Amino acid sequence: SLSSSFPITASAHPAKKNARPQDCTELFFEHKGARFEDGECDTFKLALCGIRRATDPDPDVKHFAGSKVLRDNLDPNRALEAFILEGPNKVTINCKVDSELEADRIINGFKLLFKAAKSQSQ
């Protein structure tokens, strides 16, 4: 399902204490300030993550956009409000926000985070 009965926050954090914000290397999920424990919402290395819009081609079914979850649950008129976080081992986390502007900001922010993490890991 696309919606959750409670808000989950995705956060990037440094792997070491006293690290600078630009040293963030991991992505984790939390609910009300505590780690959210779910196999698909594990902690991921940012360098191994990606993000794509719900309007981007589905890598598993090239002639469709988004993901199966989004296609089955999202009104196509709301596709610009949705995106997919991609983790290692084909983990996908489908997200929908309140507006196209909010989605655009989140997508661009994650793209910058992932790009910086990949360049730091090389």
Side-chain angles (χ1 to χ4, degrees):
S1 163
L2 271 182
S3 59
S4 174
S5 58
F6 51 86
I8 299 171
T9 305
S11 304
H13 67 92
K16 301 176 192 166
K17 288 183 180 180
N18 303 323
R20 301 168 301 177
Q22 62 266 33
D23 293 332
C24 292
T25 59
E26 297 178 334
L27 175 70
F28 69 96
F29 297 84
E30 58 184 30
H31 175 246
K32 295 184 180 177
R35 289 262 172 137
F36 182 71
E37 299 298 331
D38 180 324
E40 290 189 352
C41 294
D42 263 346
T43 298
F44 298 119
K45 296 277 183 208
L46 289 176
L48 302 176
C49 294
I51 190 166
R52 59 188 169 85
R53 297 175 185 278
T55 54
D56 290 344
D58 183 338
D60 295 326
V61 188
K62 302 246 186 269
H63 56 280
F64 286 116
S67 69
K68 180 159 177 35
V69 170
L70 292 177
R71 288 191 300 276
D72 290 348
N73 294 285
L74 183 67
D75 177 343
N77 294 320
R78 312 293 292 214
L80 293 175
E81 298 170 358
F83 55 92
I84 302 107
L85 285 166
E86 299 175 313
N89 302 318
K90 294 192 144 259
V91 169
T92 57
I93 302 166
N94 297 277
C95 305
K96 191 223 171 269
V97 294
D98 294 330
S99 72
E100 293 175 26
L101 179 62
E102 185 178 7
D104 199 45
R105 287 180 176 162
I106 291 169
I107 292 164
N108 289 330
F110 271 118
K111 282 183 178 181
L112 290 171
L113 260 175
F114 297 152
K115 182 179 178 181
K118 286 174 184 163
S119 70
Q120 287 177 2
S121 69
Q122 294 175 353

